Amino acid sequence: MSIKFKDNSTRPDGLKSFFGDANDLAIYHDGSNSYIKETGTGNLEILADSLSLLNAAGSEYYARFYTNGSAYLYHNGVAKLNTTSTGVEVTGTADVSSQVLVGTASSIFAENNLRFKSAGAAYIDHNTVGQSIKFRLSNSSSLDVTPLEIT
């Protein structure tokens, strides 16, 4: 059965539009929130070469996704997380609540802990020629001391 509309269709709050033989997909507004709800077999899949999620005014991005390319997540209209061909880029501060695992041996960078777990040599490297590596202790910013400096 096929239904064709000549004009816009208006439905009152709480009335759902169902799709699929078993009413697998519902689109509705309950008076407070709007829903696209998938309840049947399989996934809800949105197919597009590029996909953007924006605020209702269409003026601020929440997320953008590109085929064979980047995916961006935004905060207050500013891209903060971006996937790249080599990994991810974070703009701003990455507040990690546990630890960061690095490499196949899972070297650890966590609060108060830097642990190298690879079988070979481990390096703390300053890439600028002639610069020192300073180990600093601090009780407050005015009481910083440098007990060890490697030049």
Side-chain angles (χ1 to χ4, degrees), residues 133-144:
I133 295 176
K134 297 180 180 183
F135 293 85
R136 184 172 63 181
L137 297 174
S138 178
N139 290 328
S140 70
S141 61
S142 64
L143 300 175
D144 289 350

Side-chain angles (χ1 to χ4, degrees), residues 2-3 6-7 16 18 23 33 35 47 49 57 60 65 68 80 82 95 107 111 146 148 151:
S2 176
I3 299 174
K6 286 180 150 181
D7 297 310
K16 298 178 181 180
F18 291 100
N23 296 333
N33 298 298
Y35 299 90
L47 307 176
D49 287 332
E60 188 173 294
F65 307 94
N68 299 321
K80 295 296 181 178
N82 172 28
D95 186 357
S107 292
E111 187 173 351
T146 304
L148 176 62
T151 56

